[in-house]
């Protein structure tokens, strides 16, 4: 399987008044063509920072301190992204209503992107924007093209966001918590739409979510992030049935299922470590881990069997 | 359209309040019109006679009623010092004030908005610091002072500018009246020479006003741009790969202008006040200097007419700002 995106050793640091925050440390994963890969982790684990780093959208305090993100042959971390964003990689966000320009009709916002990337002309941009709205399943698209975001529901706004993102048929779509804040039925519709668009255009998807159940349902592969590390990555079935990292096992135990009772749910003890300064433990989960060994204080090594990779000195099963 | 009419209707109580309060204020001010008008050598009888003839011996409610009745016919009364109807004088002088204030405001917008935008886009850069210096200077220097300094430097020391003596120097004749704005009328008449003369006269007073108006506009533009640039839809626009100018101008600036437009209304009303002093410094024949002279002479009618004119201007201005806001912001359009 050919990889659309290969992220290697991506490190990001934020320079703040309280010191340098090492938000990402040697993050690596690959996304195959047409594949949906989920980045899963709790808030603050670095999922969104990873996406912003790839998109070149880090805020001013953030610096990429190392690594590569290869989109085909292009290293996204070392190129001018102005012609790549929106054209080869696109992104959708949570809170779709705030993510759209409040005083510009949604049709024009789609037309802006089509004019920039989609080869539209000022003559046909509007017609093509309406077509794009129809493609994402918005009823009466000719009328809705004149609507402003405040006149549309959250689900409608997310459809518009998707229309904007796929306007130029990108190779990769990064969906950052795309369904957070939408009601449950709308969530399913939006995810169905994202996947249908992916199948239609053959694009790969990175699904960023804190919801392991959503990832399990929608992604072929899952990478689990914790405090700026990718602690484990595998195909979905393997990761869920035979997790190797203690944190993954904890996450699974903390995820409600239709069959299990709520009483069986367990929280993950402890919190994320302080990522400031130079005294960060090599394994950032060690302080929360019940399987901690003296070896955990040594350098963190990622070992893999096949495409199942784990960064743990004492995994749940021995890794060859 | 209906909203516009409603706004006008809503302004009527305000205007009535303004009429009432100005009337009362001019009556309680120290100074006696009859005494001033009769001159320093007048006897007590002649003063009393003048007072009777002006109707100033009547009780206040009756005076007010008469004033209202005249007002309803569009009659603002006579100025006792100039002997001219107040309405004629205000109409003759208003274009001078309006031209000066608008020139000052446009100059200020033309400098302050780009300055604020650049300061926000390049935060912490030289232009950001320059913006800070200009805004601090603008708010801390009183207009009559900056006016005098400008006259001292550019007229007295450097000699670049003509003497601060009104709208045109003695050698030029005013253009045929159309809008009453000399800059516009000279251009309409194709009289470039007089246009230059009028422009040379208006530069310093307009710059004085602009310097005063710059600070709040630049500040709010910068703050508003910073807030918008940090917002989520700008991140979307960047993620969609829209070009830098599209992101900054079409997406960010149009959103950032909403609070700027609101502040412009306030700035304009400050300018109307500052105008009075600037007109005095530059011997500008506007309604501000007219009102100050009338006030010193306890000449009620011009003062009342002036305040009423200002109030009407202010109401119209706020209406205009509402309309601009509606044009920019769809939420304001559909909300009302």
């Amino acid at each position: 399987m050919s990889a659309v995106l290969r992220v290697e050793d991506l490190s990001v640091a934020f320079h703040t008044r309280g010191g340098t925050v090492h938000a990402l440390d040697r993050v690596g994963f690959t996304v195959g063509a047409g594949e949906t890969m989920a980045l899963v982790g709790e808030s603050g684990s670095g999922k969104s920072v990873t996406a912003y780093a790839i998109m070149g959208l880090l805020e001013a305090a953030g610096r990429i301190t190392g690594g590569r993100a290869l989109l085909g042959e292009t290293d996204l971390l070392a190129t001018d992204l102005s012609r790549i964003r929106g054209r080869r990689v696109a992104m959708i966000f949570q809170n779709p209503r705030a993510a759209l320009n409040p005083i510009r009709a949604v049709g024009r916002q789609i037309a802006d992107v089509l004019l920039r990337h989609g080869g539209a002309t000022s003559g046909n941009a509007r017609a093509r924007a309406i077509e794009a709205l129809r493609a994402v399943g918005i009823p009466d698209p000719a009328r809705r093209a004149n609507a402003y975001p405040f006149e549309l529901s959250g689900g409608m706004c997310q459809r518009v966001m998707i229309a904007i993102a796929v306007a130029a048929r990108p190779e990769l779509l990064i969906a950052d918590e795309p369904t957070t804040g939408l009601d449950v039925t709308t969530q399913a519709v939006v995810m169905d739409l994202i996947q249908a668009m992916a199948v239609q255009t053959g694009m790969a998807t990175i699904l960023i979510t804190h919801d392991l159940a959503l990832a399990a349902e929608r992604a072929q592969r899952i990478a689990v992030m914790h405090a700026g590390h990718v602690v484990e990555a595998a195909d979905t079935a393997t990761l869920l049935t035979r997790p190797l990292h203690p944190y993954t096992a904890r996450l699974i135990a903390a995820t409600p299922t239709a069959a299990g009772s709520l009483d069986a749910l367990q929280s993950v003890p402890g919190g994320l470590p302080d990522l400031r300064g130079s005294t960060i433990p090599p394994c950032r989960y060690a302080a929360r881990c019940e399987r901690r060994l003296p070896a955990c204080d040594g350098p963190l090594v990622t070992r893999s069997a096949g495409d199942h990779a784990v960064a743990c000195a004492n995994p749940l099963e021995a890794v060859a | 359209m209906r909203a516009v009419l409603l706004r006008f209707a809503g302004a009527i109580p305000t205007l009535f309040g303004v009429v009432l309060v100005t009337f009362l204020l001019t009556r309680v001010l120290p100074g006696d019109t009859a005494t001033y008008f009769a001159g320093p050598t007048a006897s007590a009888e002649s003063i009393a006679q003048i007072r009777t003839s002006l109707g100033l011996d009547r009780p206040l409610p009756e005076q007010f009623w008469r004033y209202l009745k005249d007002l309803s016919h569009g009659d603002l009364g006579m100025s006792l010092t100039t002997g001219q109807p107040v309405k004629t004088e205000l109409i003759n002088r208003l274009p001078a004030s309006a031209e000066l204030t608008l020139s000052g405001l446009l100059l200020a917008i033309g400098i302050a908005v780009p300055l604020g935008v650049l300061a926000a886009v390049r935060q912490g850069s030289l232009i950001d610091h320059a913006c800070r210096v200009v805004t601090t200077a603008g708010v801390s220097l009183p207009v009559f002072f900056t006016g005098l300094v400008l006259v001292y430097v550019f007229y007295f020391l450097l000699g670049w500018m003509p003497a601060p003596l009104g709208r045109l120097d003695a050698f030029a004749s005013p253009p045929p009246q159309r809008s009453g704005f000399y800059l516009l009328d000279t251009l309409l008449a194709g009289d470039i020479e007089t246009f230059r003369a009028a422009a040379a006269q208006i530069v310093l007073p307009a710059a004085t006003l602009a310097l005063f108006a710059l600070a709040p506009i630049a500040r709010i533009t910068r703050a508003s741009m910073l807030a918008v640039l940090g917002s989520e839809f700008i991140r979307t626009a960047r993620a969609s790969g829209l070009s830098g100018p599209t992101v900054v101008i079409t997406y960010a600036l149009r959103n950032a202008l909403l609070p700027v437009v609101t502040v412009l209304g306030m700035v304009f009303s400050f300018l109307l006040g500052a105008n009075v002093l600037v007109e005095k410094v530059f011997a500008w024949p506007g309604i501000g200097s007219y009102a100050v002279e009338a006030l010193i002479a306890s000449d009620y009618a011009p003062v009342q007419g002036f305040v009423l004119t200002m109030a009407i201007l202010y109401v119209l201005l706020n209406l205009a700002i509402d309309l601009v806001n509606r044009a920019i912001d769809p939420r304001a359009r559909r909300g009302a």
Side-chain angles (χ1 to χ4, degrees):
Chain A
M1 185 178 62
S2 64
V4 168
L5 178 74
R6 185 186 302 280
V7 177
E8 292 167 357
D9 292 328
L10 171 62
S11 298
V12 170
F14 286 88
H15 300 286
T16 68
R17 252 174 223 175
T20 302
V21 179
H22 299 277
L24 295 185
D25 179 38
R26 287 168 291 141
V27 164
F29 56 85
T30 58
V31 188
E35 180 183 73
T36 299
M37 206 244 8
L39 272 184
V40 177
E42 59 196 285
S43 304
S45 59
K47 312 178 297 274
S48 294
V49 173
T50 306
Y52 291 149
I54 294 169
M55 292 292 287
L57 292 174
L58 285 176
E59 54 186 282
R63 289 273 177 280
I64 294 168
T65 52
R68 300 196 296 172
L70 294 170
L71 181 75
E73 299 294 310
T74 320
D75 183 1
L76 296 179
L77 307 186
T79 15
D80 171 27
L81 289 168
S82 59
R83 292 268 155 193
I84 293 173
R85 282 198 293 245
R87 180 168 300 188
R88 297 183 61 194
V89 196
M91 189 161 175
I92 60 178
F93 303 91
Q94 61 173 306
N95 195 3
R97 194 174 282 129
L100 292 170
N101 187 341
I103 62 168
R104 201 162 174 81
V106 294
R108 298 198 60 178
Q109 298 189 47
I110 298 174
D112 287 338
V113 179
L114 286 169
L115 284 166
R116 173 86 171 156
H117 303 299
T121 60
S122 50
N124 68 7
R126 188 181 150 77
R128 286 193 51 191
I130 291 172
E131 206 39 58
L133 284 173
R134 193 191 314 280
V136 293
I138 288 183
D140 198 0
R143 192 168 62 87
R144 289 284 159 70
N146 297 326
Y148 294 91
F150 75 95
E151 298 170 314
L152 299 174
S153 69
M156 283 291 168
C157 285
Q158 194 60 292
R159 283 167 189 266
V160 172
M161 273 301 305
I162 293 169
I164 288 176
V166 303
R169 306 225 153 202
E171 295 151 54
L172 176 69
L173 173 70
I174 302 177
D176 186 2
E177 304 269 12
T179 58
T180 307
L182 301 178
D183 65 67
V184 182
T185 46
T186 315
Q187 284 183 15
V189 173
V190 165
M191 281 311 302
D192 285 347
L193 178 64
I194 291 175
Q195 297 201 294
M197 295 314 260
V199 169
Q200 220 179 80
T201 62
M203 71 182 174
T205 310
I206 296 178
L207 172 64
I208 294 175
T209 178
H210 60 267
D211 181 355
L212 188 60
L214 180 75
E217 194 184 330
R218 302 287 178 171
Q220 283 95 57
R221 285 173 52 78
I222 296 178
V224 179
M225 288 194 72
H226 177 269
H229 282 152
V230 171
V231 293
E232 184 168 7
D235 67 84
T236 304
T238 313
L239 188 105
L240 291 177
T241 52
R242 288 178 51 207
L244 293 178
H245 198 282
Y247 179 63
T248 312
R250 281 287 192 176
L251 267 191
I252 295 169
T255 303
T257 56
S261 82
L262 281 176
D263 299 336
L265 286 183
Q266 292 173 9
S267 64
V268 185
L272 295 174
D274 185 358
L275 298 180
R276 280 175 298 185
S278 52
T279 56
I280 308 166
C283 172
R284 294 176 176 186
Y285 184 65
R288 306 168 78 176
C289 187
E290 72 277 11
R291 297 173 56 83
R292 185 173 182 169
L293 297 174
C296 294
D297 296 325
L300 186 71
V301 183
T302 302
R303 281 170 292 182
S304 48
D307 69 345
H308 193 165
V310 63
C312 182
N314 185 18
L316 295 168
E317 288 175 37
V319 181
Chain B
M1 199 55 228
R2 219 177 121 245
V4 174
L5 290 177
L6 273 177
R7 281 298 304 254
F8 270 119
I12 289 171
T14 316
L15 291 179
F16 180 79
V18 167
V19 168
L20 179 64
V21 170
T22 355
F23 178 86
L24 289 176
L25 274 182
T26 47
R27 266 31 177 208
V28 298
L29 282 179
D32 180 21
T33 316
T35 318
Y36 187 90
F37 191 60
T41 54
S43 64
E45 292 97 74
S46 61
I47 293 177
Q49 200 184 350
I50 288 167
R51 185 168 290 137
T52 317
S53 70
L54 293 173
L56 294 173
D57 54 343
R58 303 300 173 88
L60 274 187
E62 194 190 324
Q63 285 189 41
F64 185 59
W65 178 243
R66 240 201 284 170
Y67 173 58
L68 277 187
K69 253 190 1 208
D70 290 346
L71 208 55
S72 65
H73 298 117
D75 180 6
L76 293 174
M78 297 284 269
S79 163
L80 300 177
T81 38
T82 64
Q84 297 285 324
V86 170
K87 195 165 109 184
T88 323
E89 295 229 28
L90 283 179
I91 288 174
N92 286 341
R93 284 164 167 266
L94 187 59
S97 291
E99 184 175 30
L100 177 58
T101 312
L102 283 178
S103 304
L105 189 67
L106 288 179
L107 194 61
I109 294 172
I111 297 170
V113 170
L115 192 65
V117 169
L118 284 175
V121 173
R122 308 212 187 294
Q123 208 187 343
S125 69
L126 208 61
I127 196 147
D128 193 9
H129 293 301
C131 179
R132 192 164 308 133
V133 169
V134 169
T135 53
T136 313
V139 285
S140 49
L141 298 173
V143 274
F144 60 85
F145 179 73
T146 37
L148 286 175
V149 168
L150 287 180
V151 168
Y152 179 71
V153 173
F154 290 98
Y155 165 65
F156 185 73
L157 287 185
L158 298 173
W160 292 356
M161 291 294 166
L165 293 172
R167 304 177 78 185
L168 279 178
D169 56 47
F171 308 108
S173 53
Q177 173 110 6
R178 285 193 190 144
S179 61
F181 290 13
Y182 281 7
L183 291 178
L184 215 61
D185 286 347
T186 50
L187 284 183
L188 286 175
D191 185 354
I192 298 302
E193 202 179 318
T194 315
F195 173 77
R196 282 226 190 90
Q201 291 289 341
I202 206 171
V203 164
L204 287 187
T208 307
L209 284 177
L211 214 59
F212 169 75
L214 258 177
I217 303 175
R219 237 166 223 261
I220 197 81
T221 308
R222 179 179 178 277
S224 167
M225 269 305 274
L226 275 180
V228 171
L229 283 173
S231 68
E232 294 181 36
F233 69 88
I234 290 301
R235 191 186 56 191
T236 308
R238 290 218 169 98
S240 317
L242 298 182
S243 68
T246 312
V247 171
V248 172
I249 310 282
T250 315
Y251 277 64
L253 183 57
R254 275 197 60 195
N255 275 280
L257 278 182
L258 296 171
V260 175
V261 169
T262 309
V263 164
L264 277 187
M266 260 158 58
V267 169
F268 193 83
S269 62
F270 295 159
L271 279 185
L272 289 178
N275 223 349
V276 175
L277 292 171
V278 174
E279 283 179 8
K280 211 67 196 141
V281 171
F282 290 90
W284 198 260
I287 58 172
S289 46
Y290 174 62
V292 170
E293 277 152 29
L295 193 61
I296 291 167
S298 298
D299 191 357
Y300 298 153
V303 177
Q304 288 168 348
F306 168 76
V307 175
L308 187 59
T309 312
M310 288 301 209
I312 292 171
L313 274 183
Y314 196 65
V315 167
L316 289 176
L317 174 77
N318 274 305
L319 185 69
I321 282 167
D322 268 13
L323 292 176
V324 172
N325 253 330
R326 278 158 171 277
I328 303 180
D329 190 352
R331 289 163 293 189
R333 279 204 291 278
R334 317 257 164 131

